[in-house]
Amino acid sequence: MFSDVKKVIFPAAGLGTRFLPATKASPKEMLPIVDKPMIQYGVEEALSCDISEFLIITGKHKHSIEDHFDYAFELEDKLKKSGKDKLLEEINRLNHINLAYIRQGYALGLGHAILCAKPFVKDEPVAVILSDDIIPPEETLLLDMIRLYRRLKSPILALERVPKKEVSRYGVISGVKESENVYRINGLVEKPAPEKAPSSLAIIGRYILTPDIFDVLEKAKPGKGGEIQLTDAINELLQKRPVYGFLFTGKRYDAGDKLGYLKATVDFALKNRELSGAFGEYLLETAVKLKNNIHKRV
Ligand code: G1P
């Protein structure tokens, strides 16, 4: 029987080494982009697609994620007493969602994190959101993927065309273009060297998976970096069923990388009603200073 995509997994047990020392004792997923932690953008994106069951795969030092999506009585009391009703509403806005947590004891890779979600997924399709790939709310990537899933009833991976020199940061596919933005995938490689990459179509952090991925993940051997790779498991799955890629051409921030994180921060701040004016002026002043300095140097 066909069921719609109502569940989502957020793998969040990684060590966040690219942001050390900030992530030594606190999760990368809780780093703020302006005034919301990274993971909240992903949760809001899933909510906007009518997804109703959420799972976060956590690990050590991740308690603050659970606290973030829960009531905070002391804080509420203080906000109530000082009449900050809007803020009170804002901090409790997402507490109603049906959120479960599963701990991944060892950070053995993305494939292993997904395998931990098996009891939650059961026999339904599931979306996966890697929360450090931030898609701004005006984009409809996940919704478009869900619509495509309804039509094809097969796993769908979000793809982006990246510069050849950057392919080694991603899982990369080879495939045949079936229609506008849709590829039928015939091979996947995790983080290939640019000269060995089958294309420049990179997997970005949105997936729709079907429960048959678990049979493959259960037998998976460590791949790149000694980790159980989701990319390898999907490559294996290709022997049993079709898998499709959806080419995204909209805006995405790789906020798992310091430069991408800063770009997301700047762009979201410029869209923030309270900040955009003063922050925009500051950016312009800074740009002028930068330009003058560059001129002085040459
Ligand atoms: C993971 C996946 C990779 C994918 C990427 C997208 O890598 O393993 O295939 O392209 O996410 O962000 P990570 O960024 O966790 O190293």
Side-chain angles (χ1 to χ4, degrees):
M1 205 189 74
F2 170 72
S3 53
D4 204 3
V5 184
K6 289 288 166 201
K7 295 180 174 177
V8 63
I9 309 169
F10 291 86
L15 300 175
T17 46
R18 280 194 273 174
F19 277 93
L20 282 170
T23 47
K24 186 178 169 195
S26 33
K28 170 180 76 174
E29 294 75 15
M30 289 300 291
L31 291 175
I33 307 280
V34 186
D35 52 6
K36 281 192 259 181
M38 261 194 226
I39 194 164
Q40 185 169 337
Y41 290 93
V43 167
E44 289 176 0
E45 182 184 338
L47 272 174
S48 75
C49 298
D50 272 342
I51 284 179
S52 52
E53 290 181 58
F54 297 73
L55 174 71
I56 302 184
I57 305 288
T58 64
K60 270 192 192 65
H61 307 310
K62 304 283 179 166
H63 297 292
S64 55
I65 300 181
E66 295 184 31
D67 291 341
H68 180 71
F69 293 106
D70 199 357
Y71 292 97
F73 297 109
E74 217 182 321
L75 181 63
E76 280 175 40
D77 194 48
K78 202 161 180 191
L79 293 177
K80 250 182 234 160
K81 283 183 181 144
S82 49
K84 296 195 167 141
D85 297 341
K86 247 185 123 194
L87 209 49
L88 184 64
E89 199 187 307
E90 179 58 33
I91 64 159
N92 285 335
R93 198 164 50 81
L94 298 178
N95 294 353
H96 68 282
I97 64 174
N98 185 359
L99 191 53
Y101 298 90
I102 290 181
R103 271 177 83 108
Q104 184 187 10
Y106 289 96
L108 296 180
L110 181 57
H112 180 253
I114 300 299
L115 181 58
C116 293
K118 188 179 172 184
F120 164 84
V121 175
K122 299 196 181 88
D123 55 357
E124 288 175 51
V126 66
V128 176
I129 294 185
L130 306 185
S131 54
D132 51 9
D133 263 331
I134 296 191
I135 309 287
E138 60 274 17
E139 300 285 357
T140 55
L141 170 60
L142 191 61
L143 200 60
D144 292 339
M145 291 171 71
I146 292 174
R147 286 184 182 135
L148 191 61
Y149 171 79
R150 284 179 194 142
R151 183 155 68 80
L152 300 172
K153 300 182 181 57
S154 291
I156 316 283
L157 317 185
L159 304 176
E160 194 178 275
R161 204 173 281 287
V162 299
K164 198 86 189 180
K165 60 179 192 317
E166 286 176 20
V167 286
S168 51
R169 286 169 40 193
Y170 298 93
V172 179
I173 68 119
S174 58
V176 179
K177 189 169 176 174
E178 285 232 324
S179 59
E180 189 64 24
N181 296 332
V182 180
Y183 287 77
R184 180 155 176 172
I185 297 177
N186 53 34
L188 302 94
V189 194
E190 179 67 5
K191 303 194 173 86
E195 64 282 6
K196 291 203 175 136
S199 74
S200 54
L201 291 172
I203 304 166
I204 57 168
R206 300 293 180 276
Y207 305 72
I208 309 284
L209 298 176
T210 46
D212 46 6
I213 192 69
F214 296 116
D215 301 337
V216 186
L217 282 171
E218 269 163 353
K219 294 179 206 121
K221 301 243 154 45
K224 194 93 189 179
E227 297 189 337
I228 307 282
Q229 296 293 352
L230 180 60
T231 304
D232 296 344
I234 299 172
N235 194 42
E236 189 72 30
L237 189 66
L238 283 177
Q239 317 232 349
K240 298 187 197 156
R241 59 135 70 239
V243 175
Y244 294 87
F246 177 78
L247 181 63
F248 179 57
T249 52
K251 187 80 193 162
R252 170 185 71 103
Y253 300 93
D254 177 7
D257 167 79
K258 281 179 201 155
L259 184 60
Y261 176 81
L262 290 173
K263 287 181 183 173
T265 303
V266 168
D267 285 357
F268 278 83
L270 286 174
K271 283 188 218 155
N272 181 295
R273 232 183 281 152
E274 279 167 35
L275 285 172
S276 60
F279 185 59
E281 273 171 35
Y282 173 74
L283 278 185
L284 285 173
E285 283 165 25
T286 309
V288 171
K289 278 188 209 152
L290 264 179
K291 216 171 162 195
N292 289 342
N293 277 341
I294 291 168
H295 282 309
K296 260 186 236 159
R297 267 188 260 138
V298 283

